[in-house]
Amino acid sequence: MPGASRSGPRLSRTDRKAGRAQEQQQGTDVAALEQTRATIEAAAKMAVRLQDGVRERAVTHRLQSQAAPATPAPSHTPPPGVQQAPGRTPSGGLA
């Protein structure tokens, strides 16, 4: 009896097509999942590189600001002995 070895009911042609479509859909789902995983992984690597760059710039900025000598703030008053231009006030307006 050749049909006796089957454990389930015999599938119709429509059921077999539906089963193949479902298998193809699952294959597509796996490919989409893999693509999503690769995209997320690439984005994570990019974020790490960006963060490393931010840290490097912060360290460089700190080192430069520590090494730079402290310069006094520029004064708005002229040094002693400097003559103002005729017709001008010390604040720069006309006399």
Side-chain angles (χ1 to χ4, degrees):
M1 220 162 148
S5 64
R6 294 185 186 193
S7 60
R10 185 172 179 177
L11 297 176
S12 70
R13 182 175 180 201
T14 305
D15 290 340
R16 286 193 307 264
K17 279 185 173 181
R20 280 195 300 272
Q22 185 177 9
E23 288 173 9
Q24 289 174 345
Q25 178 65 35
Q26 287 173 345
T28 303
D29 288 347
V30 170
L33 183 63
E34 177 59 26
Q35 179 65 39
T36 301
R37 184 202 60 77
T39 301
I40 291 171
E41 186 175 322
K45 287 179 180 179
M46 185 181 297
V48 167
R49 285 197 310 267
L50 287 171
Q51 191 62 39
D52 288 346
V54 168
R55 282 191 201 106
E56 282 182 30
R57 282 189 295 280
V59 167
T60 301
H61 181 71
R62 259 186 263 127
L63 291 176
Q64 287 174 349
S65 65
Q66 288 173 357
T71 56
S75 172
H76 293 296
T77 58
V82 174
Q83 295 288 326
Q84 290 289 324
R88 297 277 178 178
T89 63
S91 63
L94 290 175

